[in-house]
Amino acid sequence: MTAARVGPWEIVRPAGKGGMAEVLLVRGLEGRFAGREYALKRLLPALEADGDAVRLFSAEAELSRHLHHPNIVEVVDVGREGNSIYMVMDFVDGRDVGQIIKRCRQRKVQWPVDFAVYLTRALLDALDYAHGATGPTGAPLGVIHCDVSPSNFFVSRTGELKLGDFGVARSLIEGGADQVMGKPYYLSPEALDGHLSTHVDLWAVAVTLYELLTLQRPFQGKTPEAVFEATRSLRYVPVRELRPDVPVVIDELLTRAFSREQAARFQSAADFAQALSPLYDERVGTPLAISAVVRGLFGASD
């Protein structure tokens, strides 16, 4: 029996499915990819005739193939099979940070502060690169991820930390800056008003750090509108009220990151990362240590 394939990729098994696309675990059949496993993402068949869905997916593929950084899921191939566009990317064998936070809540264990800071620093390194990325001609791409959240940041079994899913990313160079997409809990006040800049991503990083430390989101509500109101009014519980062992300096850092005025916040991912660097013990917060704890949380077969 001939194995199912997509272009030069053999399908191993389904690996996931979302509202717009499915992900397959595939194995390379040719060239330098032969025998190696990757994740193949393609539009769901029902959306192959949807012009908007095709344009969005094509834009993700075009943008992602220019991004090459250790903390970003790398796209290694983009192709077409019949009416379906697909992209092939790193397969991160592990868990996303959203799953980790959920498991910590279930087990009533706190995620270590050093690990939270280290993960956030790696996420900021990925964004610092993406925000400054250039295309083949050297011209800036003007990338803004627009959907930074724990569910889009991955920890592999071997300690790799990677930001993925540039599906709603925007390029300021190409326009389209007035349409902001993303998960309600992670949108900044100005994003809610349709203003797009790299501050959108930095705000989402701060929300992610808060969530790693407290296992809950800072801005809450039973409806998206209630979440938006809490975000606009900056109504949240300071970290140390929920977790007193968090150093005061981290609470102060988050207060700055959630400032009402953009000018009072961190002005770049690099600035944010530099402020975090002294706040974790690099002998404790390491990728391998984090991956070991993740394996402990989920078990060998879970």
Side-chain angles (χ1 to χ4, degrees):
M1 181 177 177
T2 303
R5 56 188 288 176
V6 179
W9 304 93
E10 176 187 0
I11 298 175
V12 177
R13 60 173 172 83
K17 186 176 181 180
M20 289 187 60
E22 63 177 344
V23 178
L24 307 169
L25 178 63
V26 298
R27 185 180 295 113
L29 297 173
E30 302 173 3
R32 65 190 178 96
F33 303 123
R36 298 171 62 184
E37 292 186 342
Y38 292 88
L40 183 147
K41 181 178 179 180
R42 65 183 178 185
L43 276 178
L44 296 174
L47 295 176
E48 289 176 359
D50 185 321
D52 289 338
V54 171
R55 279 191 294 274
L56 193 62
F57 191 83
S58 299
E60 178 186 2
E62 176 63 22
L63 184 63
S64 297
R65 71 187 184 91
H66 294 304
L67 302 177
H68 308 285
H69 186 274
N71 296 124
I72 291 178
V73 175
E74 183 168 354
V75 172
V76 300
D77 185 31
V78 176
R80 181 182 290 272
E81 180 86 352
N83 295 325
S84 177
I85 301 169
Y86 66 84
M87 62 180 114
V88 180
M89 63 197 77
D90 293 334
F91 173 63
V92 183
D93 183 15
R95 299 283 175 170
D96 68 59
V97 173
Q99 292 171 318
I100 294 169
I101 291 170
K102 182 178 180 180
R103 180 55 60 94
C104 285
R105 280 201 301 266
Q106 291 171 339
R107 296 204 172 179
K108 295 180 171 56
V109 296
Q110 296 286 2
W111 185 248
V113 173
D114 284 296
F115 288 10
V117 175
Y118 188 91
L119 283 174
T120 306
R121 170 63 197 264
L123 177 55
L124 287 164
D125 286 346
L127 289 170
D128 181 46
Y129 167 82
H131 292 165
T134 58
T137 65
L141 293 173
V143 175
I144 302 172
H145 188 284
C146 294
D147 196 18
V148 172
S149 69
S151 63
N152 287 334
F153 196 48
F154 304 90
V155 181
S156 81
R157 294 180 184 274
T158 57
E160 297 172 301
L161 309 175
K162 290 183 178 287
L163 172 64
D165 199 348
F166 283 74
V168 298
R170 293 290 182 270
S171 170
L172 291 181
I173 305 304
E174 297 176 358
D178 292 331
Q179 184 181 10
V180 180
M181 300 174 69
K183 301 176 182 68
Y185 293 103
Y186 304 91
L187 293 175
S188 66
E190 59 275 4
L192 298 177
D193 296 326
H195 302 304
L196 183 61
S197 73
T198 54
H199 285 282
V200 170
D201 289 344
L202 301 186
W203 179 277
V205 170
V207 174
T208 298
L209 175 57
Y210 183 103
E211 197 170 347
L212 279 164
L213 292 168
T214 66
L215 307 182
Q216 68 181 48
R217 300 180 181 109
F219 306 106
Q220 301 185 27
K222 294 184 178 180
T223 65
E225 291 73 21
V227 174
F228 299 157
E229 195 281 326
T231 300
R232 285 193 170 99
S233 63
L234 298 181
R235 189 174 66 247
Y236 71 97
V237 179
V239 168
R240 282 175 52 81
E241 290 188 22
L242 298 171
R243 187 173 174 183
D245 66 309
V246 172
V248 173
V249 65
I250 293 180
D251 209 357
E252 293 172 345
L253 181 149
L254 281 167
T255 298
R256 177 181 174 186
F258 290 143
S259 294
R260 190 176 302 279
E261 300 298 328
Q262 278 190 8
R265 301 180 206 155
F266 297 103
Q267 296 303 296
S268 70
D271 289 343
F272 200 160
Q274 185 176 11
L276 284 174
S277 291
L279 304 182
Y280 67 92
D281 187 339
E282 60 185 14
R283 297 167 298 178
V284 177
T286 68
L288 287 177
I290 289 170
S291 65
V293 171
V294 172
R295 290 195 300 272
L297 282 171
F298 290 92
S301 59
D302 191 355

